[in-house]
Protein backbone atom coordinates (compact mmCIF):
# COMPACT_ATOMS: atom_id res chain seq x y z
CA UNK A 1 0.00 0.00 0.00
CA UNK A 2 1.50 3.35 -0.90
CA UNK A 3 1.70 6.28 1.46
CA UNK A 4 -1.33 8.12 0.09
CA UNK A 5 -3.52 5.08 0.05
CA UNK A 6 -2.48 4.23 3.60
CA UNK A 7 -3.19 7.72 4.87
CA UNK A 8 -6.57 7.77 3.18
CA UNK A 9 -7.40 4.44 4.75
CA UNK A 10 -6.39 5.72 8.18
CA UNK A 11 -8.54 8.81 7.69
CA UNK A 12 -11.50 6.70 6.69
CA UNK A 13 -11.50 5.39 10.27
CA UNK A 14 -12.56 8.91 11.19
CA UNK A 15 -14.74 9.92 8.28
CA UNK A 16 -16.51 6.59 8.28
CA UNK A 17 -16.94 6.19 12.03
CA UNK A 18 -20.45 6.31 13.48
CA UNK A 19 -19.03 8.16 16.43
CA UNK A 20 -15.78 10.10 16.52
CA UNK A 21 -14.59 9.10 19.95
CA UNK A 22 -11.31 8.11 21.56
CA UNK A 23 -11.51 4.60 20.12
CA UNK A 24 -11.99 5.87 16.56
CA UNK A 25 -9.10 8.33 16.88
CA UNK A 26 -6.83 5.65 18.34
CA UNK A 27 -7.70 3.28 15.52
CA UNK A 28 -6.89 5.95 12.97
CA UNK A 29 -3.54 6.80 14.55
CA UNK A 30 -2.66 3.11 14.83
CA UNK A 31 -3.31 2.72 11.12
CA UNK A 32 -1.33 5.87 10.37
CA UNK A 33 1.55 4.62 12.47
CA UNK A 34 1.66 1.41 10.48
CA UNK A 35 1.67 3.07 7.07
CA UNK A 36 4.27 5.68 8.03
CA UNK A 37 6.64 3.09 9.47
CA UNK A 38 6.23 0.99 6.31
CA UNK A 39 7.25 4.11 4.42
CA UNK A 40 10.45 4.18 6.47
CA UNK A 41 9.50 7.20 8.52
CA UNK A 42 11.52 7.21 11.72
CA UNK A 43 9.71 5.42 14.54
CA UNK A 44 10.28 8.17 17.05
CA UNK A 45 8.90 10.75 14.64
CA UNK A 46 5.87 8.56 14.05
CA UNK A 47 5.21 8.02 17.73
CA UNK A 48 5.48 11.76 18.40
CA UNK A 49 3.22 12.55 15.47
CA UNK A 50 0.54 10.15 16.62
CA UNK A 51 0.72 11.37 20.19
CA UNK A 52 0.23 14.94 19.02
CA UNK A 53 -2.67 13.94 16.80
CA UNK A 54 -4.39 12.13 19.66
CA UNK A 55 -3.79 15.01 22.05
CA UNK A 56 -5.11 17.63 19.69
CA UNK A 57 -7.93 15.55 18.23
CA UNK A 58 -9.32 14.67 21.64
CA UNK A 59 -8.21 17.66 23.69
CA UNK A 60 -8.73 20.65 21.46
CA UNK A 61 -12.09 22.23 20.94
CA UNK A 62 -13.08 22.17 17.28
CA UNK A 63 -12.98 25.58 15.61
CA UNK A 64 -16.28 27.33 15.03
CA UNK A 65 -18.35 25.58 12.39
CA UNK A 66 -16.29 22.40 12.57
CA UNK A 67 -17.84 19.07 13.37
CA UNK A 68 -15.85 16.38 15.19
CA UNK A 69 -14.86 14.63 11.95
CA UNK A 70 -13.68 17.82 10.30
CA UNK A 71 -11.72 18.67 13.40
CA UNK A 72 -9.83 15.38 13.50
CA UNK A 73 -9.15 15.37 9.77
CA UNK A 74 -7.81 18.90 10.03
CA UNK A 75 -5.50 17.92 12.89
CA UNK A 76 -4.14 14.89 11.00
CA UNK A 77 -3.59 16.99 7.92
CA UNK A 78 -1.77 19.75 9.78
CA UNK A 79 0.44 17.40 11.76
CA UNK A 80 1.40 15.43 8.65
CA UNK A 81 2.29 18.68 6.98
CA UNK A 82 4.62 19.53 9.85
CA UNK A 83 6.34 16.15 9.82
CA UNK A 84 6.73 16.04 6.07
CA UNK A 85 8.27 19.42 5.65
CA UNK A 86 6.91 22.70 6.94
CA UNK A 87 6.93 25.84 4.85
CA UNK A 88 6.84 26.04 1.10
CA UNK A 89 10.26 26.47 -0.49
CA UNK A 90 10.68 29.55 -2.60
CA UNK A 91 13.55 29.31 -5.06
CA UNK A 92 15.49 32.43 -5.82
CA UNK A 93 14.78 33.57 -9.36
CA UNK A 94 17.73 35.54 -10.66
CA UNK A 95 21.45 35.44 -11.26
CA UNK A 96 23.05 32.79 -9.08
CA UNK A 97 25.50 29.94 -8.70
CA UNK A 98 24.35 26.49 -7.65
CA UNK A 99 26.47 23.60 -6.40
CA UNK A 100 24.95 20.15 -6.74
CA UNK A 101 26.31 17.50 -4.42
CA UNK A 102 25.37 14.01 -3.39
CA UNK A 103 26.40 10.37 -3.51
CA UNK A 104 26.78 8.21 -6.63
CA UNK A 105 23.60 7.67 -8.54
CA UNK A 106 21.52 9.99 -6.40
CA UNK A 107 20.44 11.89 -9.50
CA UNK A 108 22.73 14.94 -9.61
CA UNK A 109 23.31 15.02 -13.34
CA UNK A 110 19.68 14.29 -14.13
CA UNK A 111 18.65 17.00 -11.68
CA UNK A 112 20.90 19.46 -13.46
CA UNK A 113 18.73 19.03 -16.58
CA UNK A 114 15.57 19.55 -14.57
CA UNK A 115 16.86 22.63 -12.79
CA UNK A 116 18.15 24.06 -16.06
CA UNK A 117 14.70 23.70 -17.54
CA UNK A 118 13.11 25.22 -14.46
CA UNK A 119 15.32 28.34 -14.43
CA UNK A 120 15.12 28.68 -18.20
CA UNK A 121 11.35 28.76 -17.92
CA UNK A 122 11.82 31.81 -15.68
CA UNK A 123 13.70 33.53 -18.47
CA UNK A 124 17.21 32.87 -17.19
CA UNK A 125 20.22 31.67 -19.14
CA UNK A 126 21.58 28.49 -17.59
CA UNK A 127 24.86 26.63 -18.00
CA UNK A 128 26.18 23.40 -16.52
CA UNK A 129 29.70 22.73 -15.31
CA UNK A 130 31.14 19.21 -15.54
CA UNK A 131 32.81 18.94 -12.15
CA UNK A 132 32.54 15.18 -11.73
CA UNK A 133 36.19 14.32 -12.26
CA UNK A 134 35.93 10.78 -10.94
CA UNK A 135 33.25 9.05 -12.91
CA UNK A 136 34.16 8.01 -16.44
CA UNK A 137 31.96 9.56 -19.11
CA UNK A 138 30.52 12.08 -16.63
CA UNK A 139 31.71 14.84 -18.99
CA UNK A 140 29.74 13.40 -21.94
CA UNK A 141 26.66 12.73 -19.83
CA UNK A 142 26.40 16.33 -18.62
CA UNK A 143 27.19 17.69 -22.06
CA UNK A 144 24.38 15.62 -23.51
CA UNK A 145 21.89 16.67 -20.81
CA UNK A 146 22.85 20.33 -21.27
CA UNK A 147 22.34 20.01 -24.98
CA UNK A 148 18.94 18.38 -24.59
CA UNK A 149 17.58 21.27 -22.53
CA UNK A 150 19.33 23.98 -24.52
CA UNK A 151 21.64 25.00 -21.69
CA UNK A 152 25.25 26.14 -21.93
CA UNK A 153 28.05 23.79 -20.91
CA UNK A 154 31.59 23.98 -19.62
CA UNK A 155 33.92 21.07 -19.08
CA UNK A 156 37.57 20.07 -19.46
CA UNK A 157 37.83 16.49 -20.59
CA UNK A 158 40.56 14.60 -18.77
CA UNK A 159 41.07 17.36 -16.18
CA UNK A 160 41.32 15.85 -12.68
CA UNK A 161 41.36 19.05 -10.69
CA UNK A 162 37.79 19.95 -9.74
CA UNK A 163 38.87 23.30 -8.30
CA UNK A 164 40.54 24.33 -11.53
CA UNK A 165 37.35 23.45 -13.42
CA UNK A 166 35.37 25.72 -11.10
CA UNK A 167 37.80 28.59 -11.62
CA UNK A 168 37.92 28.24 -15.40
CA UNK A 169 34.13 27.88 -15.62
CA UNK A 170 33.59 31.18 -13.78
CA UNK A 171 35.89 32.78 -16.29
CA UNK A 172 34.24 31.26 -19.35
CA UNK A 173 30.57 31.45 -18.42
CA UNK A 174 30.21 35.15 -17.69
CA UNK A 175 27.26 35.50 -20.08
CA UNK A 176 25.04 33.12 -18.12
CA UNK A 177 22.64 33.92 -15.29
CA UNK A 178 22.55 30.56 -13.54
CA UNK A 179 25.65 28.40 -13.23
CA UNK A 180 25.15 24.87 -12.00
CA UNK A 181 28.19 22.88 -10.90
CA UNK A 182 27.67 19.11 -11.15
CA UNK A 183 30.13 17.71 -8.61
CA UNK A 184 31.54 14.22 -8.15
CA UNK A 185 29.88 11.77 -5.80
CA UNK A 186 31.16 8.83 -3.80
CA UNK A 187 29.60 5.55 -2.79
CA UNK A 188 29.49 6.88 0.77
CA UNK A 189 30.23 10.16 2.48
CA UNK A 190 33.89 10.52 3.49
CA UNK A 191 36.54 13.06 4.43
CA UNK A 192 37.97 13.23 0.94
CA UNK A 193 34.60 14.15 -0.55
CA UNK A 194 34.04 16.75 2.17
CA UNK A 195 37.43 18.33 1.43
CA UNK A 196 36.90 18.30 -2.32
CA UNK A 197 33.49 19.95 -2.02
CA UNK A 198 34.65 22.65 0.32
CA UNK A 199 37.68 23.44 -1.84
CA UNK A 200 35.49 23.70 -4.92
CA UNK A 201 33.07 25.90 -3.07
CA UNK A 202 35.80 28.21 -1.78
CA UNK A 203 36.44 29.12 -5.40
CA UNK A 204 32.97 28.74 -6.85
CA UNK A 205 31.16 30.47 -3.95
CA UNK A 206 27.75 29.00 -4.63
CA UNK A 207 24.62 30.88 -3.54
CA UNK A 208 22.71 27.62 -3.35
CA UNK A 209 24.24 24.36 -2.27
CA UNK A 210 21.75 21.66 -3.07
CA UNK A 211 22.13 18.12 -1.79
CA UNK A 212 20.64 15.55 -4.13
CA UNK A 213 19.33 12.41 -2.44
CA UNK A 214 17.34 9.51 -3.75
CA UNK A 215 14.04 8.72 -2.07
CA UNK A 216 15.16 5.06 -2.02
CA UNK A 217 17.43 5.70 0.94
CA UNK A 218 14.45 6.54 3.13
CA UNK A 219 15.34 8.01 6.50
CA UNK A 220 19.07 7.76 5.74
CA UNK A 221 18.44 10.96 3.74
CA UNK A 222 18.45 12.78 7.08
CA UNK A 223 21.93 11.49 7.92
CA UNK A 224 23.22 12.55 4.49
CA UNK A 225 21.75 16.00 4.94
CA UNK A 226 23.62 16.39 8.22
CA UNK A 227 26.94 15.18 6.76
CA UNK A 228 26.84 17.32 3.63
CA UNK A 229 25.63 20.28 5.64
CA UNK A 230 28.74 20.05 7.82
CA UNK A 231 30.94 19.95 4.73
CA UNK A 232 29.50 22.80 2.66
CA UNK A 233 26.39 24.17 4.38
CA UNK A 234 23.37 22.80 2.53
CA UNK A 235 20.74 25.37 1.51
CA UNK A 236 18.22 22.89 0.17
CA UNK A 237 17.67 19.21 -0.59
CA UNK A 238 16.45 17.76 -3.86
CA UNK A 239 14.77 14.41 -3.32
CA UNK A 240 14.76 12.37 -6.52
CA UNK A 241 13.03 9.15 -7.54
CA UNK A 242 9.86 10.01 -5.67
CA UNK A 243 8.14 8.11 -8.45
CA UNK A 244 9.66 4.72 -7.88
CA UNK A 245 10.09 4.51 -4.16
CA UNK A 246 7.93 3.52 -1.24
CA UNK A 247 10.24 5.43 1.04
CA UNK A 248 9.54 9.00 -0.04
CA UNK A 249 7.80 9.77 3.23
CA UNK A 250 10.83 8.54 5.14
CA UNK A 251 13.24 10.66 3.10
CA UNK A 252 11.05 13.75 3.38
CA UNK A 253 10.43 13.52 7.10
CA UNK A 254 14.08 12.75 7.85
CA UNK A 255 15.33 15.73 5.85
CA UNK A 256 12.83 18.01 7.46
CA UNK A 257 13.81 16.72 10.91
CA UNK A 258 17.44 17.56 10.14
CA UNK A 259 18.46 21.19 9.92
CA UNK A 260 18.01 21.21 6.14
CA UNK A 261 14.88 21.77 4.15
CA UNK A 262 13.44 20.09 1.12
CA UNK A 263 13.66 22.38 -1.90
CA UNK A 264 12.58 20.27 -4.88
CA UNK A 265 11.06 16.88 -5.56
CA UNK A 266 11.89 14.91 -8.68
CA UNK A 267 9.66 12.12 -9.80
CA UNK A 268 10.92 10.85 -13.13
CA UNK A 269 13.85 10.89 -15.48
CA UNK A 270 12.48 13.51 -17.86
CA UNK A 271 13.61 17.12 -17.49
CA UNK A 272 10.12 18.30 -16.56
CA UNK A 273 9.70 15.86 -13.67
CA UNK A 274 10.61 18.46 -11.07
CA UNK A 275 8.48 20.47 -8.69
CA UNK A 276 9.18 23.05 -6.05
CA UNK A 277 8.46 21.40 -2.75
CA UNK A 278 5.33 22.55 -0.96
CA UNK A 279 4.35 20.45 2.04
CA UNK A 280 0.74 21.61 1.95
CA UNK A 281 0.34 20.62 -1.65
CA UNK A 282 2.22 17.38 -1.12
CA UNK A 283 0.06 16.27 1.80
CA UNK A 284 -3.02 17.42 -0.09
CA UNK A 285 -2.14 15.18 -2.97
CA UNK A 286 -1.39 12.25 -0.69
CA UNK A 287 -4.69 12.57 1.05
CA UNK A 288 -6.38 13.06 -2.29
CA UNK A 289 -7.30 16.72 -2.02
CA UNK A 290 -5.30 19.66 -3.26
CA UNK A 291 -5.68 21.64 -0.10
CA UNK A 292 -7.15 21.57 3.34
CA UNK A 293 -10.08 23.75 2.36
CA UNK A 294 -11.39 21.43 -0.30
CA UNK A 295 -10.75 18.49 1.98
CA UNK A 296 -12.90 20.03 4.66
CA UNK A 297 -15.58 20.87 2.17
CA UNK A 298 -15.65 17.22 1.21
CA UNK A 299 -15.90 16.16 4.83
CA UNK A 300 -18.65 18.72 5.30
CA UNK A 301 -20.58 17.25 2.40
CA UNK A 302 -20.18 13.83 3.88
CA UNK A 303 -21.65 14.99 7.15
CA UNK A 304 -24.59 16.57 5.38
CA UNK A 305 -25.11 13.34 3.51
CA UNK A 306 -25.16 11.42 6.73
CA UNK A 307 -27.72 13.81 8.18
CA UNK A 308 -29.78 13.27 5.08
CA UNK A 309 -29.45 9.52 5.37
CA UNK A 310 -30.64 9.64 8.94
CA UNK A 311 -33.53 11.94 8.11
CA UNK A 312 -34.64 9.69 5.28
CA UNK A 313 -34.41 6.61 7.43
CA UNK A 314 -36.53 8.23 10.06
CA UNK A 315 -38.95 9.50 7.46
CA UNK A 316 -38.27 13.03 8.69
CA UNK A 317 -38.42 15.85 6.20
CA UNK A 318 -37.75 19.55 6.47
CA UNK A 319 -36.57 22.13 3.97
CA UNK A 320 -32.92 21.44 4.58
CA UNK A 321 -33.15 17.71 4.05
CA UNK A 322 -35.49 18.35 1.14
CA UNK A 323 -32.92 20.50 -0.60
CA UNK A 324 -30.14 18.03 0.10
CA UNK A 325 -32.33 15.26 -1.22
CA UNK A 326 -33.11 17.12 -4.42
CA UNK A 327 -29.43 17.75 -4.99
CA UNK A 328 -28.49 14.18 -4.22
CA UNK A 329 -31.13 12.83 -6.54
CA UNK A 330 -30.00 15.12 -9.29
CA UNK A 331 -26.60 13.50 -9.10
CA UNK A 332 -28.06 10.04 -9.40
CA UNK A 333 -29.31 10.74 -12.89
CA UNK A 334 -32.76 10.29 -14.37
CA UNK A 335 -34.94 10.12 -11.34
CA UNK A 336 -37.94 8.36 -12.62
CA UNK A 337 -35.94 5.27 -13.47
CA UNK A 338 -34.23 5.28 -10.11
CA UNK A 339 -37.46 5.62 -8.21
CA UNK A 340 -39.08 2.90 -10.23
CA UNK A 341 -36.21 0.59 -9.61
CA UNK A 342 -36.91 1.12 -5.95
CA UNK A 343 -40.51 0.12 -6.49
CA UNK A 344 -42.07 3.58 -6.33
CA UNK A 345 -44.24 4.22 -9.35
CA UNK A 346 -46.80 6.72 -8.16
CA UNK A 347 -44.60 9.65 -7.32
CA UNK A 348 -45.88 13.06 -8.40
CA UNK A 349 -44.00 13.85 -11.54
CA UNK A 350 -43.49 17.51 -10.76
CA UNK A 351 -41.81 16.66 -7.48
CA UNK A 352 -39.14 14.67 -9.26
CA UNK A 353 -38.45 16.33 -12.53
CA UNK A 354 -36.86 19.55 -11.47
CA UNK A 355 -34.69 21.33 -13.90
CA UNK A 356 -31.25 22.53 -12.93
CA UNK A 357 -32.55 26.08 -13.03
CA UNK A 358 -35.48 25.29 -10.76
CA UNK A 359 -33.15 23.58 -8.38
CA UNK A 360 -31.03 26.72 -8.16
CA UNK A 361 -34.10 28.84 -7.49
CA UNK A 362 -35.36 26.46 -4.84
CA UNK A 363 -31.95 26.46 -3.28
CA UNK A 364 -31.95 30.26 -3.11
CA UNK A 365 -35.41 30.17 -1.55
CA UNK A 366 -34.38 27.66 1.10
CA UNK A 367 -31.35 29.80 1.96
CA UNK A 368 -33.67 32.78 2.41
CA UNK A 369 -35.75 30.97 5.01
CA UNK A 370 -35.02 31.45 8.67
CA UNK A 371 -33.55 28.44 10.47
CA UNK A 372 -36.90 28.08 12.19
CA UNK A 373 -38.75 27.88 8.89
CA UNK A 374 -36.37 25.31 7.53
CA UNK A 375 -36.86 23.05 10.51
CA UNK A 376 -40.62 23.62 10.82
CA UNK A 377 -42.03 23.46 7.27
CA UNK A 378 -45.59 24.22 8.39
CA UNK A 379 -44.55 27.85 8.85
CA UNK A 380 -43.99 28.17 5.12
CA UNK A 381 -47.68 27.72 4.43
CA UNK A 382 -48.22 31.39 5.31
CA UNK A 383 -48.29 33.66 2.31
CA UNK A 384 -46.63 36.52 4.19
CA UNK A 385 -43.63 34.28 4.81
CA UNK A 386 -43.66 33.12 1.21
CA UNK A 387 -43.63 36.72 0.05
CA UNK A 388 -40.70 37.54 2.31
CA UNK A 389 -38.69 34.54 1.07
CA UNK A 390 -39.45 35.45 -2.55
CA UNK A 391 -38.14 38.94 -1.98
CA UNK A 392 -35.07 37.71 -0.14
CA UNK A 393 -34.12 35.18 -2.78
CA UNK A 394 -34.99 37.21 -5.84
CA UNK A 395 -37.48 34.74 -7.28
CA UNK A 396 -41.21 35.11 -7.86
CA UNK A 397 -43.84 34.36 -5.23
CA UNK A 398 -45.32 31.89 -7.65
CA UNK A 399 -42.09 29.92 -7.63
CA UNK A 400 -41.93 29.94 -3.85
CA UNK A 401 -45.47 28.59 -3.81
CA UNK A 402 -44.38 25.92 -6.23
CA UNK A 403 -41.52 24.97 -3.96
CA UNK A 404 -43.88 24.70 -1.01
CA UNK A 405 -46.27 22.59 -3.06
CA UNK A 406 -43.48 20.25 -4.16
CA UNK A 407 -42.29 19.97 -0.63
CA UNK A 408 -45.74 18.99 0.54
CA UNK A 409 -46.04 16.40 -2.21
CA UNK A 410 -42.79 14.76 -1.21
CA UNK A 411 -43.81 14.94 2.42
CA UNK A 412 -47.02 13.10 1.56
CA UNK A 413 -45.06 10.55 -0.41
CA UNK A 414 -42.73 9.95 2.48
CA UNK A 415 -45.62 9.47 4.86
CA UNK A 416 -47.05 6.97 2.41
CA UNK A 417 -43.81 5.09 2.27
CA UNK A 418 -43.16 5.23 5.97
CA UNK A 419 -44.62 1.79 6.43
CA UNK A 420 -42.19 0.48 3.88
CA UNK A 421 -38.96 0.45 5.87
CA UNK A 422 -37.02 -1.58 3.36
CA UNK A 423 -37.66 0.99 0.71
CA UNK A 424 -36.66 3.87 2.98
CA UNK A 425 -33.43 2.09 3.79
CA UNK A 426 -32.66 1.53 0.14
CA UNK A 427 -33.41 5.14 -0.64
CA UNK A 428 -31.21 6.45 2.11
CA UNK A 429 -28.42 4.13 1.14
CA UNK A 430 -28.56 5.44 -2.38
CA UNK A 431 -28.49 9.01 -1.21
CA UNK A 432 -25.37 8.20 0.79
CA UNK A 433 -23.71 6.28 -1.97
CA UNK A 434 -23.54 8.90 -4.62
CA UNK A 435 -20.38 8.28 -6.63
CA UNK A 436 -17.60 10.71 -5.94
CA UNK A 437 -19.06 11.99 -2.70
CA UNK A 438 -17.60 9.46 -0.32
CA UNK A 439 -13.93 9.52 0.53
P1 LIG B 1 24.34 11.06 -10.32
O1 LIG B 1 25.34 9.95 -10.21
O2 LIG B 1 24.03 11.61 -8.97
O3 LIG B 1 24.74 12.11 -11.28
O4 LIG B 1 22.99 10.39 -10.82
P2 LIG B 1 22.32 10.44 -12.27
O5 LIG B 1 21.75 11.78 -12.53
O6 LIG B 1 23.27 9.92 -13.28
O7 LIG B 1 21.11 9.42 -12.05
C1 LIG B 1 21.29 8.07 -11.71
C2 LIG B 1 20.13 7.26 -12.29
O8 LIG B 1 18.91 7.62 -11.64
C3 LIG B 1 19.91 7.49 -13.74
O9 LIG B 1 19.60 6.26 -14.35
C4 LIG B 1 18.71 8.42 -13.79
O10 LIG B 1 17.99 8.26 -14.98
C5 LIG B 1 17.92 7.97 -12.59
N1 LIG B 1 17.09 9.05 -12.02
C6 LIG B 1 17.46 10.27 -11.60
N2 LIG B 1 16.43 10.97 -11.09
C7 LIG B 1 15.34 10.16 -11.19
C8 LIG B 1 13.96 10.30 -10.81
O11 LIG B 1 13.49 11.31 -10.27
N3 LIG B 1 13.15 9.24 -11.04
C9 LIG B 1 13.63 8.09 -11.62
N4 LIG B 1 12.74 7.11 -11.82
N5 LIG B 1 14.90 7.93 -11.98
C10 LIG B 1 15.76 8.94 -11.76
MG1 LIG C 1 26.47 12.44 -12.39
Amino acid sequence: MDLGEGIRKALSRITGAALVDEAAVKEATKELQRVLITNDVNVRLVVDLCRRIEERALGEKPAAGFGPREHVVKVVYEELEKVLGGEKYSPKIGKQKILLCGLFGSGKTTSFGKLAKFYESKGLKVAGIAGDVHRPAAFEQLQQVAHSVGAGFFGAKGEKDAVKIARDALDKLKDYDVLIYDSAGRSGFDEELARELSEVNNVFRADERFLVVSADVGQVAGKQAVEFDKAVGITGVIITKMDGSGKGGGALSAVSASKSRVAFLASGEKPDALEVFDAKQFVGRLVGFPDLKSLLEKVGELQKEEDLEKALEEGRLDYETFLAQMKAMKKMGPLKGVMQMLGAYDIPKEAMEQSEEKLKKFEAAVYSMTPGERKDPALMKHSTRQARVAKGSGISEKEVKELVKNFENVQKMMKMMKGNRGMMKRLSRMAGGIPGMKM
Side-chain angles (χ1 to χ4, degrees):
M1 187 171 7
D2 76 8
L3 184 57
E5 202 185 329
I7 291 174
R8 287 193 292 277
K9 191 164 163 227
L11 275 178
S12 73
R13 306 264 180 211
I14 298 298
T15 54
L19 188 68
V20 182
D21 55 3
E22 192 173 337
V25 171
K26 289 229 152 104
E27 255 198 72
T29 51
K30 216 169 80 194
E31 183 85 36
L32 202 59
Q33 209 156 8
R34 211 175 53 79
V35 62
L36 290 171
I37 288 171
T38 313
N39 240 262
D40 200 37
V41 179
N42 178 278
V43 174
R44 199 176 47 85
L45 279 183
V46 174
V47 170
D48 283 351
L49 168 80
C50 290
R51 187 181 40 78
R52 271 200 315 276
I53 290 176
E54 282 174 18
E55 265 171 27
R56 289 189 55 199
L58 300 167
E60 265 177 24
K61 249 176 95 122
F66 277 52
R69 280 182 185 73
E70 291 158 304
H71 173 65
V72 180
V73 170
K74 179 169 169 279
V75 166
V76 171
Y77 196 102
E78 285 172 354
E79 292 297 332
L80 272 175
E81 210 175 288
K82 267 190 233 160
V83 164
L84 293 176
E87 296 284 284
K88 180 178 176 173
Y89 182 75
S90 69
K92 195 180 104 188
I93 306 300
K95 251 180 118 69
Q96 61 189 303
K97 289 174 285 180
I98 297 170
L99 174 67
L100 292 182
C101 50
L103 300 181
F104 279 155
S106 58
K108 294 178 294 300
T109 306
T110 313
S111 294
F112 157 71
K114 295 169 183 169
L115 289 172
K117 206 164 169 203
F118 171 78
Y119 290 106
E120 279 167 352
S121 77
K122 309 285 177 197
L124 298 161
K125 251 180 102 179
V126 184
I129 303 160
D132 185 348
V133 294
H134 296 296
R135 185 163 159 186
F139 175 97
E140 285 84 0
Q141 192 196 355
L142 188 77
Q143 190 172 35
Q144 195 267 321
V145 174
H147 180 73
S148 75
V149 294
F153 170 79
F154 176 84
K157 205 168 156 57
E159 176 60 66
K160 289 288 165 208
D161 184 351
V163 177
K164 183 173 186 310
I165 292 174
R167 193 177 297 121
D168 292 349
L170 289 178
D171 203 39
K172 290 271 160 46
L173 298 173
K174 290 206 158 63
D175 290 344
Y176 291 88
D177 304 311
V178 181
L179 303 186
I180 304 179
Y181 188 101
D182 182 27
S183 70
R186 295 291 190 280
S187 54
F189 186 85
D190 60 24
E191 282 307 310
E192 194 201 281
L193 176 60
R195 189 167 5 94
E196 187 177 302
L197 283 174
S198 83
E199 281 173 9
V200 164
N201 196 47
N202 283 341
V203 169
F204 189 60
R205 303 202 159 274
D207 306 287
E208 299 286 6
R209 292 162 304 276
F210 289 146
L211 169 66
V212 181
V213 295
S214 162
D216 298 337
V217 303
Q219 55 182 302
V220 173
K223 183 169 156 273
Q224 290 185 14
V226 171
E227 288 167 342
F228 279 85
D229 187 51
K230 262 197 211 134
V232 284
I234 292 303
T235 60
V237 177
I238 300 175
I239 303 182
T240 65
K241 306 185 198 179
M242 288 298 288
D243 50 324
S245 170
K247 293 183 172 180
L252 267 171
S253 54
V255 170
S256 99
S258 78
K259 227 185 75 209
S260 303
R261 58 186 310 187
V262 181
F264 293 94
L265 295 183
S267 50
E269 307 192 35
K270 296 245 164 63
D272 56 1
L274 183 80
E275 64 182 299
V276 175
F277 179 66
D278 178 356
K280 254 195 178 60
Q281 195 186 48
F282 183 79
V283 173
R285 224 163 39 208
L286 278 181
V287 178
F289 297 94
D291 56 47
L292 183 58
K293 194 168 147 274
S294 61
L295 172 69
L296 293 179
E297 275 167 10
K298 267 299 196 231
V299 176
E301 265 176 49
L302 196 71
Q303 252 168 3
K304 269 191 219 130
E305 256 182 77
E306 280 170 8
D307 292 345
L308 172 62
E309 242 175 273
K310 227 169 107 200
L312 280 170
E313 254 190 64
E314 290 167 4
R316 185 158 47 78
L317 190 71
D318 59 33
Y319 275 102
E320 249 163 32
T321 52
F322 181 58
L323 183 64
Q325 193 185 15
M326 281 196 298
K327 283 188 182 170
M329 296 232 167
K330 199 93 211 155
K331 291 204 174 134
M332 295 195 311
L335 282 174
K336 230 168 126 199
V338 172
M339 296 308 285
Q340 289 181 350
M341 263 173 3
L342 290 167
Y345 291 95
D346 52 353
I347 293 155
K349 219 168 104 202
E350 62 276 18
M352 290 293 131
E353 291 175 353
Q354 304 299 350
S355 69
E356 200 60 52
E357 199 195 350
K358 269 277 156 61
L359 191 61
K360 277 209 187 98
K361 286 184 175 171
F362 284 175
E363 190 175 356
V366 172
Y367 288 140
S368 286
M369 293 176 188
T370 64
E373 287 164 348
R374 282 183 224 159
K375 287 283 163 217
D376 183 3
L379 292 174
M380 282 312 298
K381 287 180 190 297
H382 300 287
S383 56
T384 46
R385 289 184 189 261
Q386 290 177 3
R388 199 204 72 243
V389 165
K391 227 170 146 199
S393 58
I395 65 176
S396 70
E397 266 181 63
K398 192 170 150 268
E399 282 165 324
V400 176
K401 274 198 196 335
E402 201 185 325
L403 167 67
V404 172
K405 178 114 190 5
N406 274 335
F407 178 85
E408 285 169 354
N409 279 337
V410 173
Q411 201 174 36
K412 252 184 246 152
M413 172 189 97
M414 285 188 64
K415 276 197 185 119
M416 243 160 47
M417 295 196 301
K418 213 171 168 187
N420 186 349
R421 284 196 62 87
M423 159 115 178
M424 292 315 292
K425 263 210 141 62
R426 263 178 292 161
L427 237 187
S428 63
R429 222 178 292 134
M430 287 196 70
I434 299 150
M437 288 190 70
K438 284 257 174 186
M439 294 179 46

